[in-house]
Amino acid sequence: MKSLLSVTLFFCVLQSCVQHADGEPDQLDSSYVQFITPWQPGVGMGLYVCVDKDGEPHPVQENISNFTTIARGQFAGKGIPASAISAASFLEAGDSKADLQAIYAIRQADDIQVFRGYFVPGFGGPVEWERVKIR
């Protein structure tokens, strides 16, 4: 057991010592996606997506409720591609649970694209996805 712990610690230290060659630029984390749901006085909770760590959040929908992240293991059952980076579901304020929507982000052609769709009762996942313009 002690030898397994020693080997594990060795590889952790070794990995932290690996550096880029001189002059090689650090690669940006191209998989960064964050869904943000701030409370906006007089409007309610809004939904924004940020696809760059230092970038501006892009608006998706004002006045939402019931925002929930979707676990990766649930992607297939909800019609979300397995290669999606992140996904969530939400309702527009005042809508019934039958009008549940989903949103996901996916890496396509060196860019992150965001899509949203409506869940259709009896069909499982969204039938149609529409691209959310974020740039």
Side-chain angles (χ1 to χ4, degrees), residues 67-109:
F67 177 85
T68 307
T69 57
I70 298 173
R72 186 166 299 282
Q74 297 175 328
F75 284 7
K78 298 192 182 292
I80 298 168
S83 58
I85 299 167
S86 184
S89 63
F90 64 96
L91 287 170
E92 290 183 41
D95 282 354
S96 71
K97 291 184 180 184
D99 293 325
L100 188 65
Q101 296 183 51
I103 186 168
Y104 72 87
I106 191 166
R107 183 170 172 69
Q108 292 181 339

Side-chain angles (χ1 to χ4, degrees), residues 6-126:
S6 299
V7 170
T8 304
L9 286 174
F10 171 76
F11 282 113
C12 290
V13 170
L14 180 64
Q15 181 179 5
S16 68
C17 293
V18 174
Q19 297 178 357
H20 293 291
D22 288 339
E24 183 179 322
D26 289 336
Q27 291 187 349
L28 296 174
D29 181 5
S30 59
S31 307
Y32 177 84
V33 172
Q34 183 179 18
F35 294 118
I36 304 166
T37 55
W39 180 260
Q40 301 165 325
V43 178
M45 188 167 53
L47 175 58
Y48 294 79
V49 63
C50 190
V51 296
D52 299 309
K53 285 186 180 180
D54 298 323
E56 292 290 319
H58 304 279
V60 175
Q61 181 67 51
E62 289 184 2
N63 210 2
I64 69 162
S65 64
N66 295 45
F67 177 85
T68 307
T69 57
I70 298 173
R72 186 166 299 282
Q74 297 175 328
F75 284 7
K78 298 192 182 292
I80 298 168
S83 58
I85 299 167
S86 184
S89 63
F90 64 96
L91 287 170
E92 290 183 41
D95 282 354
S96 71
K97 291 184 180 184
D99 293 325
L100 188 65
Q101 296 183 51
I103 186 168
Y104 72 87
I106 191 166
R107 183 170 172 69
Q108 292 181 339
D110 295 332
D111 195 19
I112 295 175
Q113 304 291 320
V114 177
F115 294 87
R116 73 188 276 182
Y118 286 89
F119 286 101
V120 178
F123 287 102

